[in-house]
Amino acid sequence: MVDYRDLATVKQVAVEAPFITEATLRWWIFHAETNGLKPALLKIGGRVYIDRAEFNKWLEGQRMAPKPLKTAA
């Protein structure tokens, strides 16, 4: 279930994460069918909203190598 507090516009995400430009986000959204971003997107009345939690999962999946597991000392 979607929590409306987790939704953000493209502009909001670009402001919160300055390493991602608005243009890059829009390109990712345009190609969401092929890059796997689609589960993080909601379209309501022509506007696209990004589910922050799903977007973060998608970003994590873009790592070039998995993070090493932390072991207990």
Side-chain angles (χ1 to χ4, degrees):
M1 181 178 237
V2 176
D3 184 347
Y4 73 90
R5 293 170 290 196
D6 287 338
L7 299 179
T9 64
V10 171
K11 287 183 182 196
Q12 288 171 326
V13 172
V15 167
E16 293 170 5
F19 61 94
I20 303 171
T21 65
E22 223 179 295
T24 298
L25 276 171
R26 292 187 189 285
W27 191 89
W28 287 344
I29 291 167
F30 184 79
H31 295 282
E33 289 279 341
T34 57
N35 66 18
L37 184 60
K38 195 169 182 179
L41 304 176
L42 283 89
K43 189 170 183 181
I44 303 170
R47 282 196 80 163
V48 174
Y49 296 93
I50 300 169
D51 181 330
R52 289 181 176 109
E54 290 297 321
F55 182 70
N56 285 331
K57 287 181 193 174
W58 179 80
L59 276 178
E60 186 64 34
Q62 304 308 305
R63 285 187 183 274
M64 295 178 74
K67 285 175 74 170
L69 295 174
K70 292 184 180 179
T71 57

Short mmCIF file of all heavy atoms in Angstrom, two decimals:
data_model
loop_
_atom_site.label_atom_id
_atom_site.label_comp_id
_atom_site.label_asym_id
_atom_site.label_seq_id
_atom_site.Cartn_x
_atom_site.Cartn_y
_atom_site.Cartn_z
N MET A 1 0.84 -1.18 0.00
CA MET A 1 0.00 0.00 0.00
C MET A 1 0.89 1.25 0.00
O MET A 1 1.89 1.30 0.68
CB MET A 1 -0.90 -0.01 1.22
CG MET A 1 -1.81 1.17 1.28
SD MET A 1 -2.87 1.06 2.71
CE MET A 1 -4.44 1.14 1.98
N VAL A 2 0.48 2.22 -0.75
CA VAL A 2 1.25 3.46 -0.88
C VAL A 2 0.90 4.41 0.25
O VAL A 2 -0.28 4.61 0.57
CB VAL A 2 0.95 4.13 -2.24
CG1 VAL A 2 1.67 5.45 -2.34
CG2 VAL A 2 1.33 3.23 -3.37
N ASP A 3 1.91 5.00 0.84
CA ASP A 3 1.71 6.04 1.84
C ASP A 3 1.98 7.37 1.13
O ASP A 3 3.07 7.60 0.61
CB ASP A 3 2.69 5.84 2.99
CG ASP A 3 2.50 6.84 4.12
OD1 ASP A 3 1.77 7.84 3.93
OD2 ASP A 3 3.07 6.61 5.19
N TYR A 4 0.98 8.22 1.10
CA TYR A 4 1.12 9.49 0.36
C TYR A 4 2.29 10.33 0.87
O TYR A 4 2.84 11.14 0.14
CB TYR A 4 -0.19 10.30 0.42
CG TYR A 4 -0.48 10.94 1.75
CD1 TYR A 4 -0.02 12.21 2.04
CD2 TYR A 4 -1.19 10.25 2.73
CE1 TYR A 4 -0.27 12.79 3.27
CE2 TYR A 4 -1.44 10.83 3.95
CZ TYR A 4 -0.98 12.10 4.22
OH TYR A 4 -1.22 12.67 5.44
N ARG A 5 2.71 10.12 2.10
CA ARG A 5 3.85 10.88 2.64
C ARG A 5 5.16 10.45 2.01
O ARG A 5 6.16 11.16 2.12
CB ARG A 5 3.91 10.73 4.15
CG ARG A 5 2.70 11.40 4.84
CD ARG A 5 2.64 11.04 6.27
NE ARG A 5 2.27 9.61 6.36
CZ ARG A 5 1.84 9.02 7.46
NH1 ARG A 5 1.73 9.70 8.57
NH2 ARG A 5 1.52 7.75 7.46
N ASP A 6 5.17 9.29 1.35
CA ASP A 6 6.37 8.79 0.67
C ASP A 6 6.46 9.23 -0.78
O ASP A 6 7.43 8.92 -1.46
CB ASP A 6 6.42 7.26 0.72
CG ASP A 6 6.76 6.73 2.10
OD1 ASP A 6 7.34 7.47 2.91
OD2 ASP A 6 6.41 5.56 2.37
N LEU A 7 5.43 9.93 -1.27
CA LEU A 7 5.42 10.34 -2.67
C LEU A 7 6.10 11.70 -2.85
O LEU A 7 6.00 12.58 -1.99
CB LEU A 7 3.99 10.42 -3.19
CG LEU A 7 3.20 9.12 -3.18
CD1 LEU A 7 1.79 9.36 -3.71
CD2 LEU A 7 3.91 8.04 -3.97
N ALA A 8 6.77 11.85 -3.97
CA ALA A 8 7.45 13.11 -4.29
C ALA A 8 7.35 13.35 -5.78
O ALA A 8 7.24 12.41 -6.57
CB ALA A 8 8.91 13.05 -3.87
N THR A 9 7.41 14.60 -6.16
CA THR A 9 7.44 14.96 -7.57
C THR A 9 8.89 14.84 -8.06
O THR A 9 9.83 14.70 -7.27
CB THR A 9 6.95 16.39 -7.81
OG1 THR A 9 7.86 17.30 -7.15
CG2 THR A 9 5.54 16.59 -7.29
N VAL A 10 9.05 14.91 -9.36
CA VAL A 10 10.39 14.86 -9.94
C VAL A 10 11.24 16.00 -9.38
O VAL A 10 12.39 15.81 -8.99
CB VAL A 10 10.32 14.93 -11.48
CG1 VAL A 10 11.69 15.10 -12.10
CG2 VAL A 10 9.63 13.69 -12.03
N LYS A 11 10.67 17.19 -9.31
CA LYS A 11 11.41 18.35 -8.81
C LYS A 11 11.82 18.15 -7.35
O LYS A 11 12.94 18.50 -6.97
CB LYS A 11 10.58 19.62 -8.95
CG LYS A 11 10.47 20.09 -10.38
CD LYS A 11 9.71 21.38 -10.49
CE LYS A 11 9.59 21.76 -11.95
NZ LYS A 11 9.22 23.12 -12.17
N GLN A 12 10.93 17.60 -6.54
CA GLN A 12 11.26 17.38 -5.13
C GLN A 12 12.42 16.40 -4.97
O GLN A 12 13.32 16.63 -4.17
CB GLN A 12 10.03 16.87 -4.37
CG GLN A 12 8.97 17.92 -4.16
CD GLN A 12 7.68 17.34 -3.60
OE1 GLN A 12 7.30 16.21 -3.92
NE2 GLN A 12 7.01 18.13 -2.77
N VAL A 13 12.40 15.32 -5.74
CA VAL A 13 13.49 14.35 -5.65
C VAL A 13 14.80 14.98 -6.11
O VAL A 13 15.85 14.78 -5.48
CB VAL A 13 13.17 13.08 -6.46
CG1 VAL A 13 14.38 12.15 -6.52
CG2 VAL A 13 11.99 12.35 -5.85
N ALA A 14 14.76 15.78 -7.16
CA ALA A 14 15.97 16.43 -7.66
C ALA A 14 16.55 17.40 -6.63
O ALA A 14 17.77 17.52 -6.50
CB ALA A 14 15.69 17.15 -8.97
N VAL A 15 15.70 18.06 -5.86
CA VAL A 15 16.17 18.98 -4.81
C VAL A 15 16.75 18.19 -3.64
O VAL A 15 17.79 18.53 -3.10
CB VAL A 15 15.02 19.89 -4.34
CG1 VAL A 15 15.39 20.63 -3.06
CG2 VAL A 15 14.65 20.88 -5.42
N GLU A 16 16.07 17.09 -3.26
CA GLU A 16 16.52 16.29 -2.13
C GLU A 16 17.80 15.52 -2.44
O GLU A 16 18.58 15.24 -1.54
CB GLU A 16 15.43 15.28 -1.74
CG GLU A 16 14.21 15.94 -1.16
CD GLU A 16 13.04 14.96 -1.01
OE1 GLU A 16 13.22 13.76 -1.27
OE2 GLU A 16 11.96 15.43 -0.63
N ALA A 17 18.00 15.15 -3.69
CA ALA A 17 19.18 14.39 -4.10
C ALA A 17 19.89 15.15 -5.22
O ALA A 17 19.71 14.84 -6.40
CB ALA A 17 18.77 13.00 -4.57
N PRO A 18 20.68 16.16 -4.88
CA PRO A 18 21.27 17.03 -5.90
C PRO A 18 22.21 16.32 -6.88
O PRO A 18 22.54 16.87 -7.92
CB PRO A 18 22.01 18.10 -5.10
CG PRO A 18 22.08 17.60 -3.71
CD PRO A 18 21.03 16.56 -3.53
N PHE A 19 22.62 15.10 -6.57
CA PHE A 19 23.48 14.36 -7.51
C PHE A 19 22.66 13.80 -8.68
O PHE A 19 23.22 13.30 -9.65
CB PHE A 19 24.23 13.24 -6.79
CG PHE A 19 23.32 12.21 -6.18
CD1 PHE A 19 23.00 11.06 -6.88
CD2 PHE A 19 22.80 12.39 -4.91
CE1 PHE A 19 22.16 10.11 -6.31
CE2 PHE A 19 21.98 11.45 -4.34
CZ PHE A 19 21.65 10.31 -5.05
N ILE A 20 21.32 13.88 -8.57
CA ILE A 20 20.43 13.43 -9.64
C ILE A 20 19.72 14.66 -10.21
O ILE A 20 19.01 15.35 -9.49
CB ILE A 20 19.37 12.44 -9.12
CG1 ILE A 20 20.02 11.24 -8.46
CG2 ILE A 20 18.45 12.00 -10.25
CD1 ILE A 20 19.04 10.32 -7.75
N THR A 21 19.94 14.93 -11.48
CA THR A 21 19.29 16.10 -12.07
C THR A 21 17.86 15.76 -12.46
O THR A 21 17.48 14.60 -12.61
CB THR A 21 20.04 16.57 -13.33
OG1 THR A 21 19.94 15.55 -14.33
CG2 THR A 21 21.50 16.88 -13.04
N GLU A 22 17.07 16.79 -12.64
CA GLU A 22 15.69 16.63 -13.09
C GLU A 22 15.65 15.93 -14.45
O GLU A 22 14.81 15.06 -14.70
CB GLU A 22 15.02 18.01 -13.19
CG GLU A 22 13.64 18.04 -12.65
CD GLU A 22 13.03 19.42 -12.75
OE1 GLU A 22 13.53 20.35 -12.08
OE2 GLU A 22 12.04 19.54 -13.50
N ALA A 23 16.58 16.32 -15.32
CA ALA A 23 16.63 15.72 -16.66
C ALA A 23 16.94 14.23 -16.57
O ALA A 23 16.35 13.42 -17.29
CB ALA A 23 17.68 16.43 -17.51
N THR A 24 17.84 13.85 -15.69
CA THR A 24 18.17 12.43 -15.52
C THR A 24 16.97 11.66 -15.01
O THR A 24 16.65 10.58 -15.51
CB THR A 24 19.36 12.27 -14.55
OG1 THR A 24 20.51 12.91 -15.12
CG2 THR A 24 19.66 10.81 -14.28
N LEU A 25 16.28 12.22 -14.02
CA LEU A 25 15.08 11.57 -13.50
C LEU A 25 14.04 11.38 -14.60
O LEU A 25 13.43 10.31 -14.71
CB LEU A 25 14.47 12.39 -12.37
CG LEU A 25 15.06 12.19 -10.99
CD1 LEU A 25 14.52 13.23 -10.03
CD2 LEU A 25 14.76 10.80 -10.48
N ARG A 26 13.83 12.40 -15.40
CA ARG A 26 12.83 12.31 -16.47
C ARG A 26 13.24 11.26 -17.51
O ARG A 26 12.40 10.54 -18.04
CB ARG A 26 12.60 13.67 -17.11
CG ARG A 26 11.92 14.63 -16.15
CD ARG A 26 11.51 15.94 -16.80
NE ARG A 26 11.08 16.89 -15.81
CZ ARG A 26 9.91 16.86 -15.18
NH1 ARG A 26 9.06 15.90 -15.44
NH2 ARG A 26 9.59 17.79 -14.29
N TRP A 27 14.52 11.15 -17.78
CA TRP A 27 15.01 10.14 -18.72
C TRP A 27 14.74 8.75 -18.14
O TRP A 27 14.27 7.85 -18.84
CB TRP A 27 16.50 10.34 -18.98
CG TRP A 27 17.02 9.52 -20.13
CD1 TRP A 27 17.04 9.88 -21.44
CD2 TRP A 27 17.56 8.21 -20.06
NE1 TRP A 27 17.59 8.86 -22.19
CE2 TRP A 27 17.90 7.82 -21.37
CE3 TRP A 27 17.79 7.32 -19.03
CZ2 TRP A 27 18.47 6.59 -21.66
CZ3 TRP A 27 18.35 6.09 -19.31
CH2 TRP A 27 18.68 5.74 -20.63
N TRP A 28 15.06 8.56 -16.84
CA TRP A 28 14.80 7.27 -16.18
C TRP A 28 13.30 6.95 -16.23
O TRP A 28 12.92 5.80 -16.46
CB TRP A 28 15.27 7.30 -14.74
CG TRP A 28 16.76 7.26 -14.57
CD1 TRP A 28 17.70 6.92 -15.48
CD2 TRP A 28 17.47 7.60 -13.38
NE1 TRP A 28 18.96 7.03 -14.94
CE2 TRP A 28 18.85 7.44 -13.66
CE3 TRP A 28 17.10 8.04 -12.11
CZ2 TRP A 28 19.83 7.68 -12.70
CZ3 TRP A 28 18.07 8.27 -11.16
CH2 TRP A 28 19.43 8.09 -11.46
N ILE A 29 12.46 7.95 -15.99
CA ILE A 29 11.00 7.74 -16.01
C ILE A 29 10.54 7.36 -17.42
O ILE A 29 9.73 6.45 -17.59
CB ILE A 29 10.26 8.99 -15.49
CG1 ILE A 29 10.52 9.14 -13.98
CG2 ILE A 29 8.78 8.92 -15.79
CD1 ILE A 29 10.10 10.48 -13.41
N PHE A 30 11.06 8.03 -18.43
CA PHE A 30 10.69 7.73 -19.82
C PHE A 30 11.02 6.29 -20.18
O PHE A 30 10.30 5.63 -20.92
CB PHE A 30 11.41 8.71 -20.76
CG PHE A 30 11.02 8.54 -22.20
CD1 PHE A 30 9.83 9.07 -22.67
CD2 PHE A 30 11.84 7.86 -23.09
CE1 PHE A 30 9.46 8.92 -24.01
CE2 PHE A 30 11.48 7.70 -24.42
CZ PHE A 30 10.28 8.24 -24.88
N HIS A 31 12.12 5.77 -19.61
CA HIS A 31 12.58 4.41 -19.89
C HIS A 31 12.24 3.43 -18.77
O HIS A 31 12.86 2.36 -18.67
CB HIS A 31 14.09 4.41 -20.15
CG HIS A 31 14.48 5.17 -21.38
ND1 HIS A 31 14.33 4.67 -22.65
CD2 HIS A 31 14.97 6.43 -21.52
CE1 HIS A 31 14.73 5.56 -23.53
NE2 HIS A 31 15.11 6.65 -22.87
N ALA A 32 11.26 3.75 -17.96
CA ALA A 32 10.91 2.93 -16.78
C ALA A 32 10.52 1.50 -17.14
O ALA A 32 10.74 0.58 -16.35
CB ALA A 32 9.79 3.60 -15.99
N GLU A 33 9.95 1.30 -18.31
CA GLU A 33 9.55 -0.05 -18.73
C GLU A 33 10.76 -0.96 -18.86
O GLU A 33 10.69 -2.14 -18.54
CB GLU A 33 8.83 0.01 -20.08
CG GLU A 33 7.46 0.62 -20.04
CD GLU A 33 6.40 -0.36 -19.57
OE1 GLU A 33 6.62 -1.58 -19.63
OE2 GLU A 33 5.34 0.13 -19.14
N THR A 34 11.87 -0.41 -19.31
CA THR A 34 13.05 -1.25 -19.57
C THR A 34 14.09 -1.20 -18.46
O THR A 34 14.90 -2.12 -18.35
CB THR A 34 13.73 -0.84 -20.89
OG1 THR A 34 14.07 0.55 -20.85
CG2 THR A 34 12.82 -1.11 -22.07
N ASN A 35 14.10 -0.17 -17.63
CA ASN A 35 15.13 -0.07 -16.60
C ASN A 35 14.66 -0.53 -15.22
O ASN A 35 15.44 -0.51 -14.27
CB ASN A 35 15.71 1.36 -16.52
CG ASN A 35 14.69 2.38 -16.06
OD1 ASN A 35 13.66 2.06 -15.48
ND2 ASN A 35 14.99 3.65 -16.31
N GLY A 36 13.40 -0.93 -15.11
CA GLY A 36 12.90 -1.46 -13.84
C GLY A 36 12.39 -0.44 -12.85
O GLY A 36 12.04 -0.80 -11.72
N LEU A 37 12.31 0.81 -13.23
CA LEU A 37 11.86 1.87 -12.32
C LEU A 37 10.34 1.92 -12.15
O LEU A 37 9.85 2.50 -11.21
CB LEU A 37 12.39 3.23 -12.81
CG LEU A 37 12.10 4.45 -11.94
CD1 LEU A 37 12.70 4.28 -10.55
CD2 LEU A 37 12.62 5.71 -12.60
N LYS A 38 9.62 1.28 -13.04
CA LYS A 38 8.16 1.39 -13.06
C LYS A 38 7.48 1.16 -11.71
O LYS A 38 6.54 1.88 -11.37
CB LYS A 38 7.58 0.48 -14.13
CG LYS A 38 6.15 0.80 -14.45
CD LYS A 38 5.68 0.06 -15.67
CE LYS A 38 4.25 0.48 -15.97
NZ LYS A 38 3.74 -0.16 -17.14
N PRO A 39 7.90 0.18 -10.88
CA PRO A 39 7.22 -0.02 -9.58
C PRO A 39 7.33 1.19 -8.63
O PRO A 39 6.55 1.30 -7.69
CB PRO A 39 7.93 -1.23 -8.99
CG PRO A 39 8.51 -1.95 -10.15
CD PRO A 39 8.86 -0.88 -11.14
N ALA A 40 8.26 2.09 -8.89
CA ALA A 40 8.43 3.26 -8.02
C ALA A 40 7.61 4.46 -8.49
O ALA A 40 7.66 5.51 -7.86
CB ALA A 40 9.91 3.64 -7.96
N LEU A 41 6.86 4.31 -9.59
CA LEU A 41 6.16 5.45 -10.18
C LEU A 41 4.65 5.31 -10.05
O LEU A 41 4.10 4.22 -10.18
CB LEU A 41 6.53 5.56 -11.66
CG LEU A 41 8.01 5.69 -11.97
CD1 LEU A 41 8.22 5.69 -13.47
CD2 LEU A 41 8.61 6.91 -11.33
N LEU A 42 3.99 6.44 -9.80
CA LEU A 42 2.53 6.52 -9.82
C LEU A 42 2.17 7.66 -10.74
O LEU A 42 2.79 8.73 -10.69
CB LEU A 42 1.98 6.84 -8.43
CG LEU A 42 1.94 5.69 -7.44
CD1 LEU A 42 3.24 5.62 -6.70
CD2 LEU A 42 0.79 5.89 -6.52
N LYS A 43 1.19 7.45 -11.60
CA LYS A 43 0.75 8.51 -12.50
C LYS A 43 -0.69 8.83 -12.13
O LYS A 43 -1.57 7.97 -12.19
CB LYS A 43 0.85 8.07 -13.95
CG LYS A 43 0.61 9.20 -14.91
CD LYS A 43 0.95 8.78 -16.33
CE LYS A 43 0.78 9.97 -17.25
NZ LYS A 43 1.06 9.63 -18.63
N ILE A 44 -0.92 10.07 -11.75
CA ILE A 44 -2.25 10.53 -11.36
C ILE A 44 -2.55 11.81 -12.15
O ILE A 44 -1.88 12.83 -11.96
CB ILE A 44 -2.33 10.81 -9.85
CG1 ILE A 44 -1.94 9.55 -9.06
CG2 ILE A 44 -3.72 11.29 -9.46
CD1 ILE A 44 -1.75 9.79 -7.58
N GLY A 45 -3.54 11.73 -13.00
CA GLY A 45 -3.95 12.91 -13.76
C GLY A 45 -2.85 13.54 -14.58
O GLY A 45 -2.77 14.76 -14.67
N GLY A 46 -1.98 12.75 -15.15
CA GLY A 46 -0.92 13.29 -15.99
C GLY A 46 0.35 13.64 -15.23
O GLY A 46 1.38 13.90 -15.85
N ARG A 47 0.30 13.68 -13.91
CA ARG A 47 1.50 13.95 -13.12
C ARG A 47 2.12 12.66 -12.67
O ARG A 47 1.43 11.69 -12.35
CB ARG A 47 1.15 14.77 -11.88
CG ARG A 47 0.94 16.23 -12.22
CD ARG A 47 1.00 17.07 -11.01
NE ARG A 47 2.39 17.31 -10.65
CZ ARG A 47 2.77 18.28 -9.83
NH1 ARG A 47 1.88 19.06 -9.28
NH2 ARG A 47 4.03 18.45 -9.54
N VAL A 48 3.44 12.62 -12.64
CA VAL A 48 4.17 11.44 -12.20
C VAL A 48 4.69 11.70 -10.80
O VAL A 48 5.30 12.74 -10.53
CB VAL A 48 5.34 11.12 -13.16
CG1 VAL A 48 6.18 9.97 -12.62
CG2 VAL A 48 4.80 10.79 -14.54
N TYR A 49 4.42 10.75 -9.91
CA TYR A 49 4.92 10.82 -8.54
C TYR A 49 5.86 9.65 -8.31
O TYR A 49 5.66 8.55 -8.84
CB TYR A 49 3.76 10.77 -7.54
CG TYR A 49 2.84 11.96 -7.66
CD1 TYR A 49 1.71 11.91 -8.46
CD2 TYR A 49 3.13 13.14 -6.99
CE1 TYR A 49 0.87 13.00 -8.60
CE2 TYR A 49 2.29 14.24 -7.12
CZ TYR A 49 1.17 14.17 -7.92
OH TYR A 49 0.35 15.26 -8.06
N ILE A 50 6.87 9.89 -7.51
CA ILE A 50 7.87 8.87 -7.22
C ILE A 50 7.69 8.42 -5.78
O ILE A 50 7.67 9.24 -4.85
CB ILE A 50 9.29 9.43 -7.43
CG1 ILE A 50 9.46 9.87 -8.89
CG2 ILE A 50 10.34 8.40 -7.04
CD1 ILE A 50 10.71 10.67 -9.15
N ASP A 51 7.55 7.11 -5.60
CA ASP A 51 7.48 6.51 -4.27
C ASP A 51 8.92 6.42 -3.77
O ASP A 51 9.73 5.66 -4.31
CB ASP A 51 6.84 5.13 -4.37
CG ASP A 51 6.69 4.44 -3.04
OD1 ASP A 51 7.51 4.67 -2.13
OD2 ASP A 51 5.75 3.65 -2.90
N ARG A 52 9.25 7.22 -2.77
CA ARG A 52 10.64 7.30 -2.30
C ARG A 52 11.19 5.95 -1.86
O ARG A 52 12.34 5.62 -2.16
CB ARG A 52 10.74 8.29 -1.14
CG ARG A 52 10.58 9.73 -1.55
CD ARG A 52 10.72 10.62 -0.32
NE ARG A 52 10.67 12.01 -0.66
CZ ARG A 52 9.65 12.79 -0.36
NH1 ARG A 52 8.61 12.32 0.28
NH2 ARG A 52 9.67 14.07 -0.71
N ALA A 53 10.40 5.15 -1.15
CA ALA A 53 10.87 3.86 -0.66
C ALA A 53 11.21 2.93 -1.83
O ALA A 53 12.27 2.30 -1.86
CB ALA A 53 9.83 3.22 0.26
N GLU A 54 10.32 2.87 -2.81
CA GLU A 54 10.56 2.02 -3.99
C GLU A 54 11.71 2.56 -4.83
O GLU A 54 12.50 1.80 -5.40
CB GLU A 54 9.30 1.89 -4.84
CG GLU A 54 8.22 1.06 -4.20
CD GLU A 54 8.63 -0.39 -3.98
OE1 GLU A 54 9.30 -0.98 -4.86
OE2 GLU A 54 8.28 -0.93 -2.92
N PHE A 55 11.83 3.88 -4.91
CA PHE A 55 12.93 4.50 -5.66
C PHE A 55 14.27 4.15 -5.02
O PHE A 55 15.22 3.81 -5.71
CB PHE A 55 12.73 6.02 -5.72
CG PHE A 55 13.79 6.73 -6.50
CD1 PHE A 55 13.86 6.60 -7.88
CD2 PHE A 55 14.71 7.55 -5.87
CE1 PHE A 55 14.84 7.26 -8.61
CE2 PHE A 55 15.69 8.22 -6.59
CZ PHE A 55 15.75 8.08 -7.96
N ASN A 56 14.31 4.20 -3.70
CA ASN A 56 15.55 3.84 -3.01
C ASN A 56 15.91 2.37 -3.23
O ASN A 56 17.10 2.04 -3.38
CB ASN A 56 15.45 4.15 -1.51
CG ASN A 56 15.55 5.63 -1.25
OD1 ASN A 56 16.19 6.37 -1.99
ND2 ASN A 56 14.90 6.09 -0.20
N LYS A 57 14.92 1.49 -3.26
CA LYS A 57 15.17 0.07 -3.57
C LYS A 57 15.74 -0.06 -4.98
O LYS A 57 16.67 -0.82 -5.23
CB LYS A 57 13.89 -0.75 -3.47
CG LYS A 57 13.41 -0.99 -2.08
CD LYS A 57 12.14 -1.83 -2.13
CE LYS A 57 11.43 -1.85 -0.80
NZ LYS A 57 10.12 -2.56 -0.89
N TRP A 58 15.14 0.70 -5.91
CA TRP A 58 15.62 0.66 -7.29
C TRP A 58 17.06 1.15 -7.37
O TRP A 58 17.89 0.54 -8.04
CB TRP A 58 14.70 1.49 -8.19
CG TRP A 58 15.14 1.52 -9.61
CD1 TRP A 58 14.93 0.56 -10.55
CD2 TRP A 58 15.88 2.55 -10.26
NE1 TRP A 58 15.48 0.94 -11.75
CE2 TRP A 58 16.08 2.16 -11.60
CE3 TRP A 58 16.40 3.77 -9.84
CZ2 TRP A 58 16.77 2.94 -12.51
CZ3 TRP A 58 17.08 4.56 -10.76
CH2 TRP A 58 17.26 4.14 -12.07
N LEU A 59 17.35 2.25 -6.68
CA LEU A 59 18.72 2.77 -6.68
C LEU A 59 19.69 1.73 -6.13
O LEU A 59 20.78 1.54 -6.68
CB LEU A 59 18.83 4.04 -5.83
CG LEU A 59 18.46 5.36 -6.48
CD1 LEU A 59 18.58 6.50 -5.47
CD2 LEU A 59 19.32 5.65 -7.69
N GLU A 60 19.31 1.08 -5.05
CA GLU A 60 20.17 0.05 -4.45
C GLU A 60 20.45 -1.07 -5.46
O GLU A 60 21.55 -1.61 -5.52
CB GLU A 60 19.52 -0.51 -3.19
CG GLU A 60 20.38 -1.47 -2.42
CD GLU A 60 21.65 -0.87 -1.85
OE1 GLU A 60 21.64 0.32 -1.45
OE2 GLU A 60 22.67 -1.58 -1.81
N GLY A 61 19.45 -1.39 -6.27
CA GLY A 61 19.62 -2.43 -7.27
C GLY A 61 20.54 -2.04 -8.41
O GLY A 61 20.93 -2.89 -9.21
N GLN A 62 20.91 -0.78 -8.49
CA GLN A 62 21.78 -0.30 -9.57
C GLN A 62 23.25 -0.39 -9.21
O GLN A 62 24.11 -0.04 -10.02
CB GLN A 62 21.43 1.16 -9.93
CG GLN A 62 19.99 1.37 -10.33
CD GLN A 62 19.52 0.41 -11.40
OE1 GLN A 62 20.12 0.32 -12.47
NE2 GLN A 62 18.46 -0.31 -11.12
N ARG A 63 23.55 -0.85 -8.01
CA ARG A 63 24.97 -0.99 -7.61
C ARG A 63 25.70 -1.88 -8.61
O ARG A 63 25.17 -2.87 -9.08
CB ARG A 63 25.09 -1.61 -6.23
CG ARG A 63 24.76 -0.68 -5.13
CD ARG A 63 25.08 -1.34 -3.80
NE ARG A 63 24.71 -0.49 -2.70
CZ ARG A 63 25.48 0.46 -2.20
NH1 ARG A 63 26.68 0.66 -2.69
NH2 ARG A 63 25.05 1.20 -1.20
N MET A 64 26.94 -1.53 -8.86
CA MET A 64 27.74 -2.31 -9.79
C MET A 64 28.25 -3.59 -9.12
O MET A 64 28.57 -4.56 -9.79
CB MET A 64 28.89 -1.48 -10.33
CG MET A 64 28.38 -0.32 -11.18
SD MET A 64 29.66 0.73 -11.80
CE MET A 64 30.35 -0.30 -13.08
N ALA A 65 28.34 -3.56 -7.81
CA ALA A 65 28.75 -4.74 -7.04
C ALA A 65 27.97 -4.72 -5.74
O ALA A 65 27.68 -3.65 -5.18
CB ALA A 65 30.24 -4.71 -6.76
N PRO A 66 27.59 -5.88 -5.23
CA PRO A 66 26.84 -5.90 -3.97
C PRO A 66 27.67 -5.37 -2.81
O PRO A 66 28.90 -5.50 -2.81
CB PRO A 66 26.50 -7.36 -3.78
CG PRO A 66 27.37 -8.13 -4.69
CD PRO A 66 27.84 -7.19 -5.77
N LYS A 67 26.98 -4.76 -1.85
CA LYS A 67 27.66 -4.29 -0.65
C LYS A 67 28.14 -5.51 0.15
O LYS A 67 27.41 -6.49 0.26
CB LYS A 67 26.72 -3.47 0.22
CG LYS A 67 26.47 -2.08 -0.32
CD LYS A 67 25.45 -1.36 0.51
CE LYS A 67 26.02 -0.90 1.82
NZ LYS A 67 25.12 0.01 2.54
N PRO A 68 29.33 -5.44 0.70
CA PRO A 68 29.78 -6.57 1.53
C PRO A 68 28.93 -6.65 2.80
O PRO A 68 28.52 -5.64 3.35
CB PRO A 68 31.23 -6.24 1.85
CG PRO A 68 31.39 -4.79 1.58
CD PRO A 68 30.33 -4.40 0.60
N LEU A 69 28.66 -7.87 3.22
CA LEU A 69 27.88 -8.08 4.44
C LEU A 69 28.74 -7.74 5.64
O LEU A 69 29.92 -8.07 5.69
CB LEU A 69 27.41 -9.52 4.53
CG LEU A 69 26.42 -9.97 3.46
CD1 LEU A 69 26.16 -11.46 3.60
CD2 LEU A 69 25.12 -9.20 3.60
N LYS A 70 28.13 -7.08 6.62
CA LYS A 70 28.85 -6.77 7.87
C LYS A 70 28.81 -8.01 8.74
O LYS A 70 27.77 -8.66 8.88
CB LYS A 70 28.18 -5.60 8.60
CG LYS A 70 28.31 -4.29 7.88
CD LYS A 70 27.71 -3.18 8.69
CE LYS A 70 27.85 -1.86 7.96
NZ LYS A 70 27.27 -0.75 8.71
N THR A 71 29.93 -8.34 9.31
CA THR A 71 30.00 -9.49 10.20
C THR A 71 30.13 -9.01 11.63
O THR A 71 30.76 -7.98 11.90
CB THR A 71 31.18 -10.41 9.85
OG1 THR A 71 32.39 -9.65 9.91
CG2 THR A 71 31.02 -10.99 8.46
N ALA A 72 29.52 -9.73 12.54
CA ALA A 72 29.61 -9.37 13.96
C ALA A 72 31.03 -9.64 14.46
O ALA A 72 31.65 -10.65 14.13
CB ALA A 72 28.62 -10.18 14.76
N ALA A 73 31.54 -8.74 15.26
CA ALA A 73 32.92 -8.87 15.76
C ALA A 73 32.98 -9.69 17.01
O ALA A 73 32.12 -9.90 17.73
CB ALA A 73 33.52 -7.51 16.02
#
